[in-house]
Amino acid sequence: MSTMPLKILAIDDDEFIRIFMKDVFWLHKKSSDTFAIVQDLKKAKEFLKDPKSKPNLIFLDLRIPLAQGDAPDIENSFRFLKELKANTDTKDIKVVVFSSFGDKEIQERALKLGAAKFMIKGEYLPQEIMETANRVLEGEETAATQG
């Protein structure tokens, strides 16, 4: 088993979910240098540019605004995921889509674009979220294992 440290970025515009995710990682003794959360894609891209904050795992909501004050849109998240996986500097970052969308077509699209896992909000306990993060980082959880 690899000893890759968790360096997680969660991207969600819902304040309740941001608090929930922060608590999940706090409960599992993850500090602010291993976990960060932002509410829009502009801030997420800033994290990706800085080697000190660049994550190895992203929890991505599907309805995210480009910048604070913009309307959230599912296409923003799909474009972000596609660009992330096409860029040589970020293509190896694992992505878990953490969304309220349960539609199979949406899930398949996210997985096809490079997400390692699709999790539906409200269906996972905090312990399961941590276990998923660890499995995804270890390469044990991939789009291929979800079929």
Side-chain angles (χ1 to χ4, degrees):
M1 190 179 246
S2 163
T3 57
M4 179 183 287
L6 283 176
K7 196 155 196 173
I8 299 166
L9 176 63
I11 309 167
D12 203 302
D13 65 326
D14 183 318
E15 185 175 8
F16 174 78
I17 296 298
R18 290 194 310 268
I19 292 168
F20 170 75
M21 292 297 280
K22 189 174 183 179
D23 287 350
V24 165
F25 291 98
W26 177 80
L27 283 170
H28 290 89
K29 310 216 182 328
K30 302 302 173 196
S31 67
S32 61
D33 30 317
T34 43
F35 178 75
I37 191 156
V38 296
Q39 61 190 10
D40 61 57
L41 296 174
K42 181 180 178 185
K43 288 187 178 91
K45 289 175 183 180
E46 290 170 15
F47 268 81
L48 296 174
K49 289 178 187 173
D50 183 354
K52 292 178 188 168
S53 63
K54 186 175 168 185
N56 51 18
L57 178 63
I58 293 175
F59 278 86
L60 175 65
D61 183 26
L62 279 186
R63 287 194 70 233
I64 295 293
L66 290 175
Q68 191 172 0
D70 290 350
D73 183 347
I74 192 169
E75 291 304 320
N76 294 338
S77 297
F78 283 134
R79 267 190 305 277
F80 174 82
L81 180 56
K82 186 177 182 178
E83 291 168 8
L84 184 84
K85 292 302 180 177
N87 184 323
T88 55
D89 291 333
T90 58
K91 68 180 175 60
D92 294 329
I93 297 173
K94 311 281 190 201
V95 177
V96 173
V97 172
F98 192 63
S99 176
S100 56
F101 288 102
D103 185 293
K104 276 283 188 215
E105 288 177 15
I106 290 173
Q107 292 178 28
E108 288 172 6
R109 184 175 175 195
L111 296 171
K112 200 174 282 186
L113 287 173
K117 173 87 175 162
F118 195 105
M119 299 176 77
I120 299 173
K121 292 178 184 175
E123 293 188 4
Y124 295 88
L125 297 171
Q127 180 64 34
E128 293 171 311
I129 292 170
M130 283 304 303
E131 290 168 358
T132 297
N134 288 317
R135 282 195 313 271
V136 167
L137 280 173
E138 295 295 331
E140 297 167 13
E141 188 90 41
T142 65
T145 63
Q146 288 196 53

